[in-house]
Amino acid sequence: KQEVTQIPAALSVPEGENLVLNCSFTDSAIYNLQWFRQDPGKGLTSLLLIQSSQREQTSGRLNASLDKSSGRSTLYIAASQPGDSATYLCAVRYGGATNKLIFGTGTLLAVQP
Amino acid sequence: GAVVSQHPSRVICKSGTSVKIECRSLDFQATTMFWYRQFPKQSLMLMATSNEGSKATYEQGVEKDKFLINHASLTLSTLTVTSAHPEDSSFYICSAFRPTTGVKREQYFGPGTRLTVT
């Protein structure tokens, strides 16, 4: 069964800290992996997408890495800000570009001012 | 701006009634849309894949007679929760692929619909 797990489930850090969110997946034959942000009661905002052939992607203060062989991805957030507070979801896609996404359990991040 | 819209954003209905949720792709045609459900503090679970002009493909464990999906046009998919019960209360999110150049596809998510069944 293809499963995606995220650790930790919740994280609280003071403003300015660098932090790492973890994602693991049981089937390493992924097509791509995507990180999303979800604010309370809202839809999803795509942050970064990593193709299976890539090792990392960067956007501003965000950096996502992918290690297919170990079934892991990390999302690194530099110099965290209170506005980064949200739930972060990792999702993997198998088989093709328009196939369904399998979502992880999410990490609820709170950045304290 | 948003490229996928949902209506309504919130709906409260009485147990036993049916409620329809619309998902629209704005300024692009979507041959495939996905419907997800999210319970409080849980992740998104795919319910079904909606294909324009054909029957939806439901995930294992999702009752197709209870969650009716109609992809009537290339810009509209609807999810109807029939004979709703309190356990159907959830956050429903739709998603569509926006075609870009070549084979690249971008997936966009709607803002979600909060359904509360009393």
Side-chain angles (χ1 to χ4, degrees), chain A residues 2-108:
Chain A
Q2 297 164 334
E3 294 183 342
V4 181
T5 305
Q6 292 183 244
I7 296 174
L11 181 63
S12 180
V13 300
E15 181 177 5
E17 255 194 33
N18 303 325
L19 57 100
V20 175
L21 307 181
N22 297 290
C23 172
S24 60
F25 41 95
T26 54
D27 184 347
S28 62
I30 66 171
Y31 183 83
N32 58 35
L33 182 147
Q34 201 161 357
W35 283 92
F36 294 88
R37 168 187 173 135
Q38 185 178 30
D39 293 291
K42 304 292 185 181
L44 276 66
T45 300
S46 178
L47 298 174
L48 291 164
L49 185 149
I50 310 177
Q51 300 295 343
S52 62
S53 58
Q54 297 175 322
R55 295 299 300 268
E56 66 177 347
Q57 282 286 329
T58 298
S59 176
R61 294 182 294 109
L62 305 179
N63 176 277
S65 68
L66 174 64
D67 184 345
K68 272 201 334 178
S69 60
S70 65
R72 295 175 183 273
S73 175
T74 61
L75 178 66
Y76 175 83
I77 302 177
S80 58
Q81 303 171 358
D84 295 330
S85 299
T87 295
Y88 290 80
L89 294 165
C90 164
V92 300
R93 181 179 281 112
Y94 294 95
T98 58
N99 284 8
K100 66 181 182 183
L101 282 168
I102 300 174
F103 282 85
T105 47
T107 294
L108 176 60

Side-chain angles (χ1 to χ4, degrees), chain B residues 5 18 39 114:
Chain B
S5 69
S18 296
F39 291 107
R114 172 73 61 192

